[in-house]
PDB file of all heavy atoms in Angstrom:
ATOM      1  N   THR B   5     103.579 -58.821 -56.153  1.00 98.00           N
ATOM      2  CA  THR B   5     102.405 -58.025 -56.118  1.00 98.00           C
ATOM      3  C   THR B   5     102.313 -57.224 -54.842  1.00 98.00           C
ATOM      4  O   THR B   5     102.366 -57.763 -53.728  1.00 98.00           O
ATOM      5  CB  THR B   5     101.121 -58.826 -56.276  1.00 98.00           C
ATOM      6  OG1 THR B   5     101.181 -59.596 -57.522  1.00 98.00           O
ATOM      7  CG2 THR B   5      99.883 -58.006 -56.320  1.00 98.00           C
ATOM      8  N   GLN B   6     102.168 -55.880 -54.975  1.00 98.00           N
ATOM      9  CA  GLN B   6     102.007 -54.994 -53.815  1.00 98.00           C
ATOM     10  C   GLN B   6     100.721 -54.151 -54.051  1.00 98.00           C
ATOM     11  O   GLN B   6     100.323 -53.940 -55.194  1.00 98.00           O
ATOM     12  CB  GLN B   6     103.183 -53.999 -53.710  1.00 98.00           C
ATOM     13  CG  GLN B   6     104.531 -54.616 -53.484  1.00 98.00           C
ATOM     14  CD  GLN B   6     105.588 -53.511 -53.388  1.00 98.00           C
ATOM     15  OE1 GLN B   6     106.620 -53.581 -54.055  1.00 98.00           O
ATOM     16  NE2 GLN B   6     105.340 -52.518 -52.560  1.00 98.00           N
ATOM     17  N   PRO B   7     100.054 -53.728 -52.926  1.00 98.00           N
ATOM     18  CA  PRO B   7      98.953 -52.830 -53.114  1.00 98.00           C
ATOM     19  C   PRO B   7      99.486 -51.522 -53.632  1.00 98.00           C
ATOM     20  O   PRO B   7     100.560 -51.078 -53.254  1.00 98.00           O
ATOM     21  CB  PRO B   7      98.424 -52.645 -51.676  1.00 98.00           C
ATOM     22  CG  PRO B   7      99.561 -53.001 -50.819  1.00 98.00           C
ATOM     23  CD  PRO B   7     100.402 -54.002 -51.550  1.00 98.00           C
ATOM     24  N   PRO B   8      98.713 -50.891 -54.537  1.00 97.00           N
ATOM     25  CA  PRO B   8      99.183 -49.598 -55.123  1.00 97.00           C
ATOM     26  C   PRO B   8      99.347 -48.461 -54.070  1.00 97.00           C
ATOM     27  O   PRO B   8     100.231 -47.647 -54.225  1.00 97.00           O
ATOM     28  CB  PRO B   8      98.066 -49.212 -56.122  1.00 97.00           C
ATOM     29  CG  PRO B   8      97.393 -50.480 -56.415  1.00 97.00           C
ATOM     30  CD  PRO B   8      97.484 -51.318 -55.118  1.00 97.00           C
ATOM     31  N   SER B   9      98.490 -48.518 -53.043  1.00 97.00           N
ATOM     32  CA  SER B   9      98.583 -47.443 -52.069  1.00 97.00           C
ATOM     33  C   SER B   9      98.113 -47.895 -50.700  1.00 97.00           C
ATOM     34  O   SER B   9      97.276 -48.809 -50.593  1.00 97.00           O
ATOM     35  CB  SER B   9      97.720 -46.278 -52.529  1.00 97.00           C
ATOM     36  OG  SER B   9      96.370 -46.605 -52.587  1.00 97.00           O
ATOM     37  N   VAL B  10      98.637 -47.275 -49.706  1.00 98.00           N
ATOM     38  CA  VAL B  10      98.138 -47.397 -48.327  1.00 98.00           C
ATOM     39  C   VAL B  10      98.222 -46.061 -47.689  1.00 98.00           C
ATOM     40  O   VAL B  10      98.982 -45.170 -48.152  1.00 98.00           O
ATOM     41  CB  VAL B  10      99.021 -48.402 -47.486  1.00 98.00           C
ATOM     42  CG1 VAL B  10      98.955 -49.834 -48.054  1.00 98.00           C
ATOM     43  CG2 VAL B  10     100.426 -47.947 -47.402  1.00 98.00           C
ATOM     44  N   THR B  19     100.754 -51.591 -42.728  1.00 98.00           N
ATOM     45  CA  THR B  19     101.511 -52.716 -43.288  1.00 98.00           C
ATOM     46  C   THR B  19     101.390 -52.671 -44.817  1.00 98.00           C
ATOM     47  O   THR B  19     100.357 -52.286 -45.325  1.00 98.00           O
ATOM     48  CB  THR B  19     101.088 -54.058 -42.729  1.00 98.00           C
ATOM     49  OG1 THR B  19      99.704 -54.253 -43.117  1.00 98.00           O
ATOM     50  CG2 THR B  19     101.231 -54.134 -41.248  1.00 98.00           C
ATOM     51  N   ILE B  20     102.426 -53.110 -45.475  1.00 98.00           N
ATOM     52  CA  ILE B  20     102.473 -53.237 -46.918  1.00 98.00           C
ATOM     53  C   ILE B  20     102.792 -54.651 -47.256  1.00 98.00           C
ATOM     54  O   ILE B  20     103.841 -55.198 -46.788  1.00 98.00           O
ATOM     55  CB  ILE B  20     103.514 -52.301 -47.535  1.00 98.00           C
ATOM     56  CG1 ILE B  20     103.170 -50.820 -47.222  1.00 98.00           C
ATOM     57  CG2 ILE B  20     103.555 -52.499 -49.032  1.00 98.00           C
ATOM     58  CD1 ILE B  20     104.201 -49.825 -47.630  1.00 98.00           C
ATOM     59  N   SER B  21     101.949 -55.291 -48.034  1.00 98.00           N
ATOM     60  CA  SER B  21     102.152 -56.738 -48.383  1.00 98.00           C
ATOM     61  C   SER B  21     102.893 -56.845 -49.691  1.00 98.00           C
ATOM     62  O   SER B  21     102.878 -55.932 -50.537  1.00 98.00           O
ATOM     63  CB  SER B  21     100.845 -57.461 -48.459  1.00 98.00           C
ATOM     64  OG  SER B  21     100.025 -56.821 -49.454  1.00 98.00           O
ATOM     65  N   CYS B  22     103.530 -58.032 -49.866  1.00 98.00           N
ATOM     66  CA  CYS B  22     104.293 -58.298 -51.046  1.00 98.00           C
ATOM     67  C   CYS B  22     104.061 -59.804 -51.342  1.00 98.00           C
ATOM     68  O   CYS B  22     104.524 -60.636 -50.596  1.00 98.00           O
ATOM     69  CB  CYS B  22     105.751 -58.025 -50.831  1.00 98.00           C
ATOM     70  SG  CYS B  22     106.854 -58.478 -52.200  1.00 98.00           S
ATOM     71  N   THR B  23     103.303 -60.124 -52.366  1.00 98.00           N
ATOM     72  CA  THR B  23     102.931 -61.498 -52.642  1.00 98.00           C
ATOM     73  C   THR B  23     103.676 -62.002 -53.893  1.00 98.00           C
ATOM     74  O   THR B  23     103.653 -61.389 -54.927  1.00 98.00           O
ATOM     75  CB  THR B  23     101.414 -61.588 -52.878  1.00 98.00           C
ATOM     76  OG1 THR B  23     100.744 -61.100 -51.704  1.00 98.00           O
ATOM     77  CG2 THR B  23     101.043 -63.048 -53.131  1.00 98.00           C
ATOM     78  N   TRP B  37     113.341 -54.659 -48.787  1.00 98.00           N
ATOM     79  CA  TRP B  37     112.452 -53.537 -48.933  1.00 98.00           C
ATOM     80  C   TRP B  37     113.233 -52.214 -49.097  1.00 98.00           C
ATOM     81  O   TRP B  37     114.284 -52.029 -48.500  1.00 98.00           O
ATOM     82  CB  TRP B  37     111.535 -53.377 -47.717  1.00 98.00           C
ATOM     83  CG  TRP B  37     110.547 -54.497 -47.561  1.00 98.00           C
ATOM     84  CD1 TRP B  37     110.737 -55.679 -46.853  1.00 98.00           C
ATOM     85  CD2 TRP B  37     109.231 -54.522 -48.074  1.00 98.00           C
ATOM     86  NE1 TRP B  37     109.620 -56.460 -46.924  1.00 98.00           N
ATOM     87  CE2 TRP B  37     108.658 -55.764 -47.672  1.00 98.00           C
ATOM     88  CE3 TRP B  37     108.433 -53.692 -48.877  1.00 98.00           C
ATOM     89  CZ2 TRP B  37     107.357 -56.158 -48.051  1.00 98.00           C
ATOM     90  CZ3 TRP B  37     107.147 -54.056 -49.177  1.00 98.00           C
ATOM     91  CH2 TRP B  37     106.609 -55.277 -48.783  1.00 98.00           C
ATOM     92  N   TYR B  88     107.285 -47.493 -51.605  1.00 98.00           N
ATOM     93  CA  TYR B  88     107.974 -48.594 -51.014  1.00 98.00           C
ATOM     94  C   TYR B  88     107.942 -49.773 -51.946  1.00 98.00           C
ATOM     95  O   TYR B  88     106.910 -50.102 -52.544  1.00 98.00           O
ATOM     96  CB  TYR B  88     107.330 -48.961 -49.669  1.00 98.00           C
ATOM     97  CG  TYR B  88     107.503 -47.914 -48.624  1.00 98.00           C
ATOM     98  CD1 TYR B  88     106.685 -46.798 -48.535  1.00 98.00           C
ATOM     99  CD2 TYR B  88     108.586 -47.993 -47.699  1.00 98.00           C
ATOM    100  CE1 TYR B  88     106.884 -45.791 -47.589  1.00 98.00           C
ATOM    101  CE2 TYR B  88     108.785 -46.978 -46.745  1.00 98.00           C
ATOM    102  CZ  TYR B  88     107.917 -45.939 -46.710  1.00 98.00           C
ATOM    103  OH  TYR B  88     108.139 -44.927 -45.790  1.00 98.00           O
ATOM    104  N   GLY B 104     105.546 -53.887 -57.645  1.00 97.00           N
ATOM    105  CA  GLY B 104     105.140 -52.752 -58.399  1.00 97.00           C
ATOM    106  C   GLY B 104     105.239 -51.471 -57.636  1.00 97.00           C
ATOM    107  O   GLY B 104     105.081 -50.384 -58.220  1.00 97.00           O
ATOM    108  N   GLY B 105     105.444 -51.550 -56.304  1.00 98.00           N
ATOM    109  CA  GLY B 105     105.526 -50.362 -55.502  1.00 98.00           C
ATOM    110  C   GLY B 105     104.236 -49.995 -54.812  1.00 98.00           C
ATOM    111  O   GLY B 105     103.180 -50.277 -55.352  1.00 98.00           O
ATOM    112  N   THR B 106     104.371 -49.433 -53.636  1.00 98.00           N
ATOM    113  CA  THR B 106     103.202 -48.975 -52.865  1.00 98.00           C
ATOM    114  C   THR B 106     103.450 -47.555 -52.451  1.00 98.00           C
ATOM    115  O   THR B 106     104.521 -47.233 -51.799  1.00 98.00           O
ATOM    116  CB  THR B 106     102.956 -49.860 -51.618  1.00 98.00           C
ATOM    117  OG1 THR B 106     102.727 -51.193 -52.036  1.00 98.00           O
ATOM    118  CG2 THR B 106     101.813 -49.322 -50.799  1.00 98.00           C
ATOM    119  N   LYS B 107     102.499 -46.674 -52.709  1.00 98.00           N
ATOM    120  CA  LYS B 107     102.618 -45.291 -52.285  1.00 98.00           C
ATOM    121  C   LYS B 107     101.975 -45.153 -50.893  1.00 98.00           C
ATOM    122  O   LYS B 107     100.796 -45.436 -50.759  1.00 98.00           O
ATOM    123  CB  LYS B 107     101.920 -44.372 -53.277  1.00 98.00           C
ATOM    124  CG  LYS B 107     102.022 -42.925 -52.885  1.00 98.00           C
ATOM    125  CD  LYS B 107     101.445 -42.006 -53.992  1.00 98.00           C
ATOM    126  CE  LYS B 107     101.613 -40.504 -53.649  1.00 98.00           C
ATOM    127  NZ  LYS B 107     103.057 -40.143 -53.507  1.00 98.00           N
TER     128      LYS B 107
END
Side-chain angles (χ1 to χ4, degrees):
Chain B
T5 301
Q6 298 180 231
S9 63
V10 296
T19 62
I20 298 173
S21 61
C22 175
T23 303
W37 292 90
Y88 293 83
T106 299
K107 181 175 182 60

